[in-house]
């Protein structure tokens, strides 16, 4: 049994949840404590009590702690990557890569702790100096989803601590293993008691108490959860940052390099079981290349192995749980009901171990008005929308309530440049999958995908600090 971490102590919960391997439902990884609302409130109080001291530690102390976390993650990447794959279902190489990414994020923000920006501006009044400073916000509530169990917590916790904030971290209840391992590393990295707290359990039960106990809340999750959290945060007038869903278009033009386009589509739509907010779920393809593109993607899908996440032969692991599998199947059925063709896959598969295996599904003959192209599936399902030309492709790409990532495959500088300027998304890719990002640059979307300041890179300073303008008159 793994416990919550509150005020520097490992604390049992009121209850516990089993962490089940989606590649093999008979494999229970461990049991993880569920925090009560009282425990969450206690963690918030502990963080609040510690905040003034932590906020005034030297940047070097915080940098050293973050660097130590990054170092241990790197050293244990194989073990922790395996744990991650076991609980989430992405293949082991992706699990290890995610742990490395988390380490890189901690090391990046170790550096940022030593580079907290400020400004000196000449006053309009004689003899007065103006300093613009950045200070920590206070206690940050961090709520994360299940699809990146290590990287998303890292890119929220690392900047929070780097800039001198305290943390209340609540991971998704489906993947407490990576979160617990990360908390254990942070607990031993020289962070004082109360600065970092782990509270596990369902957000529907403890989420409100968490939002009520913090000075700022950052959440990555679905739109309904984000909306609820934002309303509560605004009610308390606290800072709020949300990263939510996507329905990301990848445009393929007649002049595209077919191999690059197919690789971008297959990687972006289906790798990591399509369970990425940046997944290329709408493939918007012009008429001249449509049939060749669909044939080449299908040929590639035929060769992909769906199986146990820890098997070296596997390209695509299982769906994360039964509920998500049912949701994926229901989206496919609705699409077929609306006239889409199930061109490939979309079948539940049996493997040696009982798990949630689904063959990658390519839907063709879809229109952008169909539900499959309006709502996020969050599974290995992509639909092809046939369009006449670039102008129609751009219009279809931007016709969505979301605006996280977008991409175009083309050899035309003119169209690539125009798309970069006119895509209504926060991330734009040219001849690359819509998913797969660098760790040191800003990340986030527009419209229904994101709310509040950007995450990651130097831009993280906006959310995790508060600006103070100081006026000084020399005597
Ligand atoms: P979810 O919204 O169900 O849960 C996300 C987190 O919110 C979990 O920790 C959950 O316990 C918590 N939560 C649930 N109800 C809550 C409440 N009432 N108050 C506070 N917290 C609550 O999402 P999920 O199923 O874990 O993740 C999938 C979603 O996350 C998808 O929509 C996906 O697009 C999105 N996502 C977005 C990004 C991004 O950066 N834009 C990245 C990854 C995932």
């Amino acid at each position: 049994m793994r416990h919550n971490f509150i005020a520097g102590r490992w604390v049992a919960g009121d209850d516990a949840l089993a962490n089940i391997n989606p590649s093999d439902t008979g494999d229970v990884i461990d049991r993880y404590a569920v925090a009560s609302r009282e425990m969450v409130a206690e963690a918030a109080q502990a963080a609040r009590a510690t905040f003034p001291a932590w906020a005034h530690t030297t940047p070097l102390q915080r940098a050293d702690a973050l660097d130590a976390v990054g170092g241990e993650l790197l050293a244990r990447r194989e073990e922790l990557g395996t744990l991650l794959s076991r609980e989430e279902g992405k293949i082991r190489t992706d699990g290890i890569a995610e742990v490395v990414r988390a380490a890189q994020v901690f090391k990046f923000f170790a550096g940022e702790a030593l580079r907290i920006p400020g400004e000196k501006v000449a006053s309009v009044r004689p003899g007065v100096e103006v300093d613009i400073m950045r200070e920590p916000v206070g206690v940050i509530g961090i709520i994360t989803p299940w699809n990146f169990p290590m990287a998303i917590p890292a890119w929220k916790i690392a900047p929070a601590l780097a800039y001198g904030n305290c943390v209340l971290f609540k991971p998704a209840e489906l993947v407490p293993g990576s979160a617990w391992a990360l908390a254990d590393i942070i607990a031993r990295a020289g962070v004082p008691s109360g600065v970092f707290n782990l509270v596990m359990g369902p957000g529907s039960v403890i989420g409100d108490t968490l939002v009520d106990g913090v000075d700022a809340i950052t959440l990555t999750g679905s739109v309904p959860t984000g909306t609820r959290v934002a309303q509560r945060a605004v009610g308390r007038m606290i800072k709020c940052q949300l990263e939510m869903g996507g329905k990301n278009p990848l445009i393929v033009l007649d002049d595209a390099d077919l191999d690059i386009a197919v690789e971008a589509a297959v990687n972006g739509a289906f790798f990591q079981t399509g369970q990425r907010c940046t997944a290329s779920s709408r493939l918007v393809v012009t008429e001249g290349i449509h049939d060749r593109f669909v044939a080449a993607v299908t040929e590639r899908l035929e060769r992909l192995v769906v199986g146990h996440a820890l098997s070296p032969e596997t390209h695509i692991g299982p769906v994360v749980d039964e509920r998500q599998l049912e949701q994926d199947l229901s989206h496919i059925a609705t699409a077929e009901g609306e006239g889409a063709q199930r061109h490939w896959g979309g079948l539940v598969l049996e493997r040696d171990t009982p798990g949630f295996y689904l063959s990658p599904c390519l839907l063709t003959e879809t229109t952008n008005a169909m539900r499959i192209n309006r709502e996020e599936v969050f599974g290995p399902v992509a639909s092809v929308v046939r369009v006449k030309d670039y102008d129609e492709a751009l219009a279809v790409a931007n016709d969505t309530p979301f605006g996280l990532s977008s991409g175009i495959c083309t050899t035309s500088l003119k169209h690539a440049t125009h798309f970069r300027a006119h895509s209504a998304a926060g991330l734009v890719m040219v001849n690359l999958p819509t998913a797969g990002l660098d760790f040191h640059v800003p990340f986030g979307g527009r419209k229904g995908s994101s709310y509040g300041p950007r995450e990651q890179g130097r831009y993280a300073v906006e959310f995790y600090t508060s600006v103070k303008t100081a006026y000084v008159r020399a005597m």
Side-chain angles (χ1 to χ4, degrees), residues 332-362:
I332 295 168
T334 305
E336 287 188 277
E338 287 188 308
Q341 300 267 314
R342 190 158 51 77
H343 186 81
W344 172 261
L347 301 173
V348 174
L349 304 173
E350 297 231 331
R351 291 293 178 259
D352 291 346
T353 48
F356 309 111
Y357 299 107
L358 178 64
S359 56
C361 180
L362 185 69

Side-chain angles (χ1 to χ4, degrees), residues 23-25 306-308 311 313 349-355 357:
S23 300
D24 178 0
T25 52
V306 178
H308 195 297
S311 159
E313 284 84 45
L349 304 173
E350 297 231 331
R351 291 293 178 259
D352 291 346
T353 48
Y357 299 107

Side-chain angles (χ1 to χ4, degrees), residues 107-281:
K107 284 182 174 282
F108 176 86
F109 282 106
E112 288 305 284
L114 300 173
R115 283 190 289 268
I116 297 177
E119 240 185 306
K120 196 168 202 63
V121 177
S123 171
V124 294
R125 287 172 281 169
V128 174
E129 291 183 359
V130 183
D131 278 314
I132 302 165
M133 306 183 295
R134 288 200 174 264
E135 296 186 343
V137 177
V139 180
I140 310 278
I142 294 177
I143 303 180
T144 55
W146 48 261
N147 65 331
F148 285 94
M150 194 62 98
I152 294 179
W155 79 53
K156 293 178 189 291
I157 295 168
L161 296 178
Y163 297 118
N165 300 285
C166 293
V167 167
L168 237 68
F169 167 41
K170 195 211 83 63
E173 47 273 40
L174 279 178
V175 290
S178 301
W180 189 93
L182 181 58
D184 172 54
I185 293 172
I186 295 171
R188 291 183 284 98
V191 174
S193 295
V195 168
F196 172 83
N197 302 271
L198 170 75
V199 286
M200 297 181 284
S204 53
V205 179
I206 57 175
D208 285 354
T209 312
L210 193 148
V211 176
D212 289 349
V214 298
D215 301 306
I217 182 86
T218 174
L219 171 131
T220 300
S222 59
V223 174
T225 306
T227 307
R228 186 188 166 107
V229 165
Q231 282 165 352
R232 202 158 182 107
V234 168
R236 295 196 51 238
M237 306 260 193
I238 61 170
K239 272 181 123 168
C240 179
Q241 177 188 60
L242 306 172
E243 291 299 340
M244 298 171 286
K247 197 71 216 174
N248 311 291
L250 178 71
I251 294 176
V252 179
L253 296 186
D254 286 356
D255 64 15
D257 177 312
L258 188 62
D259 290 343
I260 289 178
V262 169
E263 201 45 47
V266 171
N267 177 321
F270 302 112
F271 283 13
Q272 302 204 15
T273 322
Q275 296 175 153
R276 293 188 282 187
C277 50
T278 48
S280 315
S281 51

